[in-house]
Structure formats: C-alpha cells, structure tokens
Amino acid sequence: MVFNILYYHDLILQKIDTAKMHAKLFASLKPGGTCVIVNHKAQDGSGTQDIQAQHRMDVQIIRDQLHAAGFKLAEESNILAHPEDDRTWMVFTSGKRGTTDRALFIFRKPE
C-alpha cells in the first residue's frame, strides 16, 4: 500500500516526473495493491494554476495521471469534503487551516 497525503500538489510544484514515479510505484505493488491519495481541491478545470499560490490543484489531474500509469480507481470518497470551502484561498490561511475541501482516492493495481 502507498499513501500520498496532502502532498500530491507538491510533486507538481517540485517538477517531479510523476509518470516515472507512478511507473515505479505500479511496478513495486503486487496485483491488487493500493494507492491512497488525499489532496486539497482547487476549482474544477483549473489544472495546476493554483499550486504555487494556494497549494491546491484540480484533482482530475490525479485521476488522469494514475489511470495513465495503469491504476484503476477503486473508490472516491467525500468523507473529507468541506463544501463551505470555495477553493480560492491558500491552504495555510490562519483560522482556516484543516478546513479545505479535500479529495480522497483509492486506486488499485489490477489483479
């Protein structure tokens, strides 16, 4: 099992070759292996434009990148949702920290 909690956007910010990283993760997991990702949500369709200023990204990028690596989405949960978050502020904003609208994905390596 692999966890990436509130850090996926930093991979992009730090210019990590996520395709290469995902290929290595995929190869290292046994069939049925799990990859869990939690990340702060940016506005839908915003791509990566908010990573630097807000530490958020469009979570569709996560879906697309993990699918491209061969993972299958097993579950997407709203358990970490905060619908009152308009997804426009920096995640470290005083008084708001810990209240971001977050995505929770569980991907699996096919059996």
Side-chain angles (χ1 to χ4, degrees), residues 14-34:
Q14 295 174 8
K15 299 179 179 19
I16 301 299
D17 183 341
T18 54
K20 188 175 182 179
M21 182 189 81
H22 294 318
K24 288 182 178 186
L25 289 175
F26 191 84
S28 70
L29 289 171
K30 294 178 182 178
T34 304

Side-chain angles (χ1 to χ4, degrees), residues 83-103:
E84 69 280 5
D85 175 9
D86 67 6
R87 304 182 195 174
T88 61
W89 44 272
M90 165 60 131
V91 302
F92 303 120
T93 299
S94 180
K96 292 187 175 186
R97 193 165 183 176
T99 64
T100 56
D101 194 18
R102 299 173 184 174

Side-chain angles (χ1 to χ4, degrees), residues 41-70:
K41 291 182 179 180
Q43 296 288 330
D44 294 339
S46 64
T48 60
Q49 72 183 18
D50 298 319
I51 291 175
Q52 181 72 41
Q54 299 175 1
H55 283 262
R56 298 170 180 259
M57 63 185 281
D58 182 352
V59 294
Q60 184 61 47
I61 293 169
I62 297 169
R63 288 185 202 98
D64 293 346
Q65 290 186 351
L66 272 287
H67 284 148

Side-chain angles (χ1 to χ4, degrees), residues 35 37 72-78 104-108:
C35 181
I37 299 177
K72 301 298 180 198
L73 183 61
E75 188 170 344
E76 182 174 353
S77 174
N78 290 324
L104 168 61
F105 298 110
I106 300 173
F107 292 93
R108 290 213 199 309

